[in-house]
Amino acid sequence: MDLPGFSLSSASHAFTFTWVLTVSTKWNPVEYRTYPERLSQKIQELPPVDMFVTTADPELEPTILTVNTVISLLAVDYPAGKLACYVSDDGCSPVTYYSLVEASKFAKLWVPFCKKHDIQDRAPFRYFSSEEVPFDNSLEFQQEYNKMKDEYEELASKINDANKKSIDWNLSGDFAAFSNIETKNHPAIIKVVWENKGGISDELPHLIYISREKRPKHPHHYKAGAMNVLTRVSGLMTNAPFILNLDCDMFVNNPNIVRHAMCLLLGSRNERESGFVQCPQYFYDGLKHDPFGNQFEVLHKYLGNGIVGIQGPFYGGTGCFHRRKVIYGACPHDIGIQAKSLTPVHGDLTEKEQLKIFGNSKELIRSAAHALQGKANTSPKLLPNLNEAAKQVAGCGYEYGTSWGKEVGWQYGSATEDILTGLLIHARDWRSVLCTPHPRAFLGCVPRAGPISMTQQKRWATGLLEILISERNPIVATLTARLQFRQCLAYLWILIWGLRSIPELCYAVLPAYCIITNSSFLPKANEPAICIPVALFLSYLVYSLSEYLEIGLSIRAWWNNQRMGRINATNPWLFGAISVFLKILRVSGTVFEVTQKEQSSSNGGDEGRFTFDASPIFMPGTTILLLQLTAFVVGFGGMQSPSVDNDASGLGEIVCSVLVVICFWPFAKGLFGKGKYGIPVSTICKSSLLSLSFVYLVKSASKGQV
């Protein structure tokens, strides 16, 4: 049976294709083990590392979260003289700068305390919120612990007052640069919050605040643009051969993580084996049973390790260690012929070629040449003396006519710049490595509400589809560059998320359609052929459930992820696909939406409850639910259309319709909920109109066929 304008076999082929991609990706899992205590046997001196933290909005991304992430980075177990922490503030907020200044004062006490007592949780808000009693009960420790707790509470209070504008800002002196500016219209602001002048291991690492120049008529390319500014500024100031980038809510959970990453970056047989090292994105205080299906434990375990066995994991946008020269566009030294679609970048380019690639900053070109040639850093520089040169490369017009965002740096053209950047790196024949130490490397905060989670999923689906329809998609990279075929299939698995919304939506509507039109798409319950779909369905349930149970998750967590898989596919992924379709038609452009961050999991007993807002993103789910309920009324009320060729709907269609209702049960509760727990009346009215229109059209079409 075919739906009007839609072939059922086409949807089946889409799911079969997805299954093939999944099997290929999972086929040969690989897991690395690192031993940082053996690192000294491999190398005599640890290399420098530049650490990037990005934040864009002090309201959506609370400043206290950014501060805790920065403090945890300053406290890692690595020689402080080898580290520099750069914080990109795309909101150009004096509150963020003020908070970093205060945080650096606190860090001077916190870092020695952590290293002296071997504290595991280097983010103070996590350490002091722990219910566990500190293991050291000595009087000296208790005194130091209480002092540090008081100091942190004072820091948090200052930041809270600054966010509430309780502080009477005097935008002069050190804060003069923030006077008379707008968030999206201001010059570059670069300030050295703390400088480790002598490269002393017992002091704090460098801490530099950066707010790049923004002007209304200049594109700023969202996070990718901010990362490229961080790359250029850090290239001038410290030019470390390795870069770690973190989102503002991802604090260090394993203080030895930099050493773990160095095991993989320096311990491989050749550099090609570890172009970048990605740490999985895990979360603290995750809601029990993962009600919104966004903690990705199973995905990291099976698909993540499976991709490691091909060409390496995707770049996830945070918790990743990069080789600077790879970000600059270098190809592995051991390949013979360069990929014909990619421009090779190396340290022996002519001055004209260097200007075209890196821009007109001679200081940056010199530092890039050093990085590409693998040379050690030159003599230590006084960071404030480089301020003017750094402001030049942080200017909004610096990239015009260069290769930034196209051949070098973080790539432009997608809301998921991380996947696109990693794809280009893999296309250059680099491999990547997954780093999974114990305890976990970094922990972040997971979206805790329906609208926030949906917004994040929509942004991902939009950005991934933008890559798929671009000339830099993995199929082109496989044919013209050096992306491996199975790695191409792995990329396709994630890039087609938005397209999967179409067959998912059709199958969600199909049971209701069959009941209303008195037709069927499944064999009858008394026919032997019914065993085939039942066997496929049960085998999928058993296999997917076994993955969750194997890593210690609950049956309820498995069900929540199955349910949210259907909800995400038919709501945010669908809107992501529509957004890209409108972009192709040049009706509208895509918009980068910052995901709101929350510090605490405490929400007054409302944890895990699905919330709604007036966004149209909830309309498809509401319409699907109302359509199933309407089909029940039509079916059990005897209002079905006459059957064609005795192919009437049966038990299979009813069971499938019930399963759809169960999957969309949060929407069923939302029909009768109040406040943020209820679907807005406007959404219900629009969805009711859509479902009734669908019923009218299919009834009319079925009458015409009889």
Side-chain angles (χ1 to χ4, degrees), residues 29 68 219-220 226 245 254 259 289 416-417 526 681 700:
N68 272 274
H220 59 274
N245 90 274
N254 186 329
R259 295 176 185 268
H289 306 306
T416 51
E417 78 295 321
N526 58 352
V681 175
S700 300

Side-chain angles (χ1 to χ4, degrees), residues 415-483:
T416 51
E417 78 295 321
D418 46 3
I419 297 294
L420 183 57
T421 302
L423 174 58
L424 178 67
I425 293 172
H426 283 135
R428 291 183 182 276
D429 203 33
W430 292 98
R431 296 179 62 87
S432 55
V433 184
L434 194 68
C435 183
T436 55
H438 181 77
R440 291 171 171 175
F442 307 100
L443 295 179
C445 58
V446 66
R448 302 178 178 279
I452 300 174
S453 183
M454 292 282 192
T455 298
Q456 186 181 64
Q457 291 282 344
K458 177 192 171 186
R459 175 165 60 83
W460 289 344
T462 301
L464 295 170
L465 267 183
E466 286 175 326
I467 299 172
L468 185 64
I469 65 172
S470 74
E471 60 185 11
R472 295 188 285 179
N473 67 67
I475 298 174
V476 173
T478 300
L479 295 175
T480 64
R482 293 182 175 270
L483 187 71

